[in-house]
Each structure stands twice: as C-alpha cells, then as structure tokens.
Amino acid sequence: NAGVTQTPKFQVLKTGQSMTLQCAQDMNHEYMSWYRQDPGMGLRLIHYSVGAGITDQGEVPNGYNVSRSTTEDFPLRLLSAAPSQTSVYFCASSYSRDPLGPLHFGNGTRLTVT
Amino acid sequence: DQQVKQNSPSLSVQEGRISILNCDYTNSMFDYFLWYKKYPAEGPTFLISISSIKDKNEDGRFTVFLNKSAKHLSLHIVPSQPGDSAVYFCAARAYNNNDMRFGAGTRLTVKP
C-alpha cells in the first residue's frame, strides 16, 4: 500500500524555469491538496481538489497551477520558478465526506530555486 | 493571516513526564481540530482529532483538550517517550470547508 507518492524528492531550478511536481494516491480519495512548508509558517495550502475535474485555490495559490484529470493524480505546476518558491512541498489526500478524516501526506519534495 | 497559532516553537521534557503542546485559533467558524506529528524527511502523520461538540478526546497516551470560549486547544502526552520527539502541528477546519489551516508547529524533544 503506497499511500501518497510524490516525485521528485529533490529538485533545483533556475529562476524562470518551469517544472511539474507529481503526486499520486492509491486510496481512492476524493480530496487532494498541495501544501508548502516554510520555516516559522507551518503548512500553507496552495491548491486543492474535491474530485476529478474540480480544483480550487487555497491560501497561497499565486505562481502555481493544478489540474485533476483522474482521481489518482494531482500534479502541481510551476510555470516560471522564483526564489520565493524555494520550499518543501507536500501533497495530501483524504475522504472529503468525513470532516474529521485526516489528511494522508506524501514525504515531500524539497525545491530550491536559484 | 495566521488563523492557527502555535506560539511555542520548541519544548523540551524529560522522559516519563507530561508534554503539553498548545494551540490558539482566531476563526470562530472552525469546527474540527487535528494534531499531526512530523519526523524529519517525512510527511506529517495524523495523531488525534476533536470536533467542537466535545471538550476532550483521548487515545492512549495522547489527549486533546478544546476550550471553545478561549479558542484554545492543547495536546497532552503522558508519559512522554523519546520516540515522541518530533514537530507537532495543530490544524483546524470548518464543517463544510476543505481548507485546513495549520499552525507553525512545535518541536518537541523528549530527553531520556
């Protein structure tokens, strides 16, 4: 049981480059989300999806795009990387119908933008 | 705006003693509160939760207390063990909202 799988684990980008952070879950969860973790800021929600074909913005969406074409996958795209996007990114999923249902997190992608 | 606040960045306790981690929130719409634990190089993992209709929830060594009037919750770990050393995040969400907000985390160190 893989749970939530994120790739790559590490990435270094130059300012202006683009890339996609991959996230896949095998638990048939409707809800998926992306967070970034920065020192002193905790985890901040970037984008989320309550099902295939549905996405919405979180707290810090600027500079990021998402799509949800399947239940399993929820990629996060950086169109033009900036140093301010240096962070650790976590993908998470859950059953959306259970408000106390915990989020299941991947192990993160550490991104450095130079 | 930081709607969930953990004002203690770190806490150190002796093995066997009680650890108390605190969390405050500002949004009165929050109905559900969760605690997550995070080890280095791993994603956060769920620890315990509580809904706003309760004031206490217990699971083994872990108990969460909720004081709605004060908009405050706390996580008690008794007895603390060295394996509990991790960063603990408090999180909150409203009933019909998938937007879960996290605090900045408290790093707990349990000394043998």
Side-chain angles (χ1 to χ4, degrees), chain A residues 3 9 11 15 20 23 26-27 29 34 41-42 54 57 59 61 63 65 72 80 87 91 95 97-98 101 108 113:
Chain A
K9 288 193 168 102
Q11 183 70 50
T15 298
T20 299
C23 175
D26 60 0
M27 297 173 282
H29 286 165
W34 277 99
M41 302 291 290
I54 306 169
Q57 296 182 349
E59 191 182 353
N65 280 351
E72 295 78 20
S80 179
S87 188
C91 179
Y95 289 112
R97 291 182 186 85
D98 180 1
V113 183

Side-chain angles (χ1 to χ4, degrees), chain B residues 9-56:
Chain B
S10 63
L11 174 68
S12 181
V13 300
Q14 209 64 36
E15 182 179 4
R17 307 294 292 267
I18 184 171
S19 295
I20 300 176
L21 294 91
N22 293 305
C23 177
D24 298 292
Y25 62 96
T26 58
N27 189 339
S28 57
M29 300 298 291
F30 287 148
D31 293 304
Y32 300 99
F33 305 90
L34 303 92
W35 285 93
Y36 288 82
K37 176 178 174 180
K38 185 184 180 305
Y39 292 117
E42 294 182 9
T45 55
F46 170 72
L47 193 56
I48 193 169
S49 61
I50 189 167
S51 74
S52 57
I53 63 171
K54 294 187 172 183
D55 55 18
K56 177 183 172 181

